[in-house]
Amino acid sequence: MQQQYLINIDYSINSGQVFLWEKNGDIWYGINGADVLAVKENPFQINSFSQNSIDFFREKDELREIIQSITKDKVVRNAVKQFPGLRLLRQDPFQCYISFIVSSNSNIQRIKQILQRLCKKFGKKIIFEKKEFFVFPEPKKLANASKNDLLNCGLGYRTKSVKKASLAVSSGQIDFDLLKKISYQNAKKILLDVYGIGNKVADCILLFSLEKLESFPIDRWILRVLEKNYADKFRLTGKSLTEKKYDEMHEQIIDHFGPYAGYSQQFLFKMERDLNQKSWL
DNA sequence: TACTAACCTGTACG
DNA sequence: ACGTACAGGTTAG
């Protein structure tokens, strides 16, 4: 019964958490901050340019306990069964932060395109396993970028958000190490002060890069899952998700799914998008 | 407090 | 082909 706690790289990469990944043969290559990762399965193996081990695939998570904890109903049970080995990923915080600011009102293909352009224009070029990569730019670099250069990356109206958010980091207003240490609620409050970050984006950053596993990003896909399967359980009044409603819903979600709710979100999200045959990377 | 339109831009439909 | 809607949301009013 250990089998189901192995890691499935395809599921994990293709679940909307990351954008700067490419598959080459049976090896996935991905940008993670200033680092480049190379990953393959059977057996699972990960190499990195930096040689630092950051447990990107959260191999040390107690999946057995987590899965048991989130399996509170048959919907999650099905999703977990359908995607064995799907993992949350531990991302570089700054890259994650910018990625999800860029994701607003956009789609995966375009998000990827924009982020690739940012890397190419502002990131350092490195050679890893005989291949050329452009890593993710440093906060300072994006904070100092000209409006025009950013626009040329395809950011559109998100240019202002990216610039301000980068400045917030380079100036020290946003300190990811600190955010990791404090509570979910407090860290979220701080993130929400940044222009361009709302509830959903904040929750993505907290879940995917700041160790807040109780975070449960609610986007239109998850909303669909909840409406379809949990209409009786969670209050879903009205059309739009106002800030207050988002908070209320999160509270009900934690009550139901527990402290690892973020993992349940990832399974449900993956399931719903696959069901609708939406494309990934 | 609750609700809506507007927002850059590429791409998928009709 | 060519216009229009829509995309993992946020902000301003």
Side-chain angles (χ1 to χ4, degrees):
Chain A
M1 288 277 89
Q2 287 206 344
Q3 197 97 22
Q4 68 189 108
Y5 301 115
L6 290 178
I7 296 169
N8 186 308
I9 301 170
D10 284 15
Y11 290 163
S12 304
I13 299 292
N14 281 323
S15 64
Q17 306 180 65
V18 291
F19 304 96
L20 292 172
W21 284 75
E22 302 272 2
K23 199 171 189 180
N24 194 312
D26 61 344
I27 303 180
W28 276 102
Y29 289 97
I31 307 297
N32 189 51
D35 204 4
V36 180
L37 273 37
V39 196
K40 70 174 197 61
E41 262 173 25
N42 301 319
F44 179 85
Q45 195 184 337
I46 180 163
N47 291 322
S48 67
F49 174 75
S50 70
Q51 309 269 29
N52 293 333
S53 137
I54 43 141
D55 194 11
F56 188 79
F57 283 82
R58 308 190 68 102
E59 297 170 61
K60 297 196 179 101
D61 280 3
E62 280 294 339
L63 257 286
R64 186 188 170 73
E65 183 191 326
I66 290 170
I67 300 265
Q68 188 177 326
S69 165
I70 63 174
T71 308
K72 295 282 168 52
D73 56 69
K74 64 174 191 290
V75 183
V76 175
R77 190 189 309 280
N78 275 335
V80 167
K81 202 176 189 178
Q82 208 176 133
F83 303 103
L86 168 61
R87 297 285 183 131
L88 282 175
L89 304 172
R90 179 177 283 117
Q91 301 182 42
D92 171 74
F94 181 63
Q95 179 175 332
C96 183
Y97 169 90
I98 296 298
S99 296
F100 284 95
I101 287 172
V102 167
S103 79
S104 91
N105 194 23
S106 191
N107 57 63
I108 292 178
Q109 284 69 27
R110 208 157 74 81
I111 297 162
K112 178 177 182 179
Q113 196 175 42
I114 291 170
L115 294 175
Q116 282 177 328
R117 290 189 195 139
L118 284 177
C119 288
K120 188 139 192 187
K121 195 178 270 284
F122 302 105
K124 213 172 93 185
K125 179 165 94 175
I126 66 172
I127 305 292
F128 173 56
E129 297 192 350
K130 297 180 185 166
K131 294 174 187 299
E132 178 183 290
F133 297 94
F134 289 89
V135 298
F136 204 78
E138 290 174 10
K140 213 180 357 178
K141 203 87 195 248
L142 290 184
N144 294 331
S146 77
K147 188 180 168 190
N148 216 268
D149 280 349
L150 291 173
L151 274 173
N152 285 337
C153 292
L155 280 168
Y157 65 83
R158 303 172 193 80
T159 295
K160 183 178 167 190
S161 308
V162 167
K163 204 157 164 60
K164 286 193 161 198
S166 299
L167 189 60
V169 174
S170 65
S171 71
Q173 181 200 328
I174 292 289
D175 175 352
F176 293 120
D177 287 330
L178 171 69
L179 296 183
K180 281 182 192 173
K181 285 176 199 151
I182 65 182
S183 72
Y184 164 79
Q185 293 295 348
N186 289 143
K188 183 161 181 178
K189 258 185 218 127
I190 293 173
L191 284 175
L192 286 174
D193 282 338
V194 178
Y195 183 87
I197 298 184
N199 267 303
K200 188 269 178 184
V201 169
D203 275 335
C204 286
I205 299 164
L206 290 164
L207 179 60
F208 301 142
S209 72
L210 298 174
E211 308 294 327
K212 306 293 187 266
L213 299 187
E214 71 267 55
S215 174
F216 189 103
I218 305 172
D219 58 19
R220 57 183 74 203
W221 289 103
I222 285 297
L223 214 44
R224 236 176 267 189
V225 176
L226 299 182
E227 281 165 355
K228 271 203 288 194
N229 306 290
Y230 299 91
D232 54 332
K233 195 156 270 135
F234 306 132
R235 198 166 295 285
L236 299 154
T237 52
K239 297 270 170 274
S240 61
L241 250 195
T242 61
E243 198 158 331
K244 194 179 170 197
K245 270 192 242 171
Y246 191 106
D247 287 342
E248 280 174 11
M249 197 177 298
H250 183 256
E251 213 161 307
Q252 296 173 351
I253 282 166
I254 294 295
D255 281 347
H256 180 66
F257 292 116
Y260 303 114
Y263 260 100
S264 62
Q265 186 271 358
Q266 207 55 34
F267 281 103
L268 294 173
F269 181 76
K270 173 72 175 162
M271 179 174 71
E272 187 63 16
R273 284 202 41 135
D274 270 20
L275 195 64
N276 289 76
Q277 305 182 333
K278 302 300 284 186
S279 59
W280 301 102
L281 301 178

